[in-house]
Amino acid sequence: ILTYQYKETQISAIVAYCILKGCRLGILLKEKYQYIGEEIVQELLKQNFGELKDAQDIGTTALAYAEFLKRSEEL
């Protein structure tokens, strides 16, 4: 999963959300995984959400982005 190339929005968003939340809760090592979750979210945000027809893609991306924002609040 960590070498995944961000091709499917919903799967990538779920992976990013899990990584970022795991890092925030101390389940995953921030030093090792935080940048991966942030990188995935940044790639997801480059997409044109107006073209997405699946509400689940938008919803899961929003969850991942919320975790991304929580991280930026900590800094």
Side-chain angles (χ1 to χ4, degrees), residues 21-64:
K21 185 158 188 174
C23 290
R24 184 172 57 82
L25 296 176
I27 297 168
L28 296 174
L29 293 173
K30 288 182 183 182
E31 301 82 22
K32 189 171 183 179
Y33 297 104
Q34 184 76 39
Y35 79 95
I36 296 170
E38 291 174 353
E39 181 180 301
I40 295 170
V41 171
Q42 290 171 352
E43 289 297 318
L44 289 171
L45 293 176
K46 291 178 184 177
Q47 294 185 21
N48 182 355
F49 288 98
E51 295 177 2
L52 292 177
K53 296 178 182 170
D54 189 358
Q56 288 181 337
D57 285 349
I58 296 170
T60 53
T61 301
L63 285 172

Side-chain angles (χ1 to χ4, degrees), residues 62-75:
L63 285 172
Y65 187 56
E67 282 297 325
F68 180 81
L69 291 176
K70 285 179 184 177
R71 167 69 175 142
S72 64
E73 288 176 359
E74 293 175 4
L75 300 175

Side-chain angles (χ1 to χ4, degrees), residues 1-31:
I1 287 178
L2 298 180
T3 60
Y4 191 67
Q5 298 299 314
Y6 321 114
K7 293 182 181 170
E8 290 191 35
T9 303
Q10 187 174 3
I11 294 170
S12 296
I14 291 169
V15 169
Y17 172 76
C18 291
I19 290 172
L20 293 173
K21 185 158 188 174
C23 290
R24 184 172 57 82
L25 296 176
I27 297 168
L28 296 174
L29 293 173
K30 288 182 183 182
E31 301 82 22

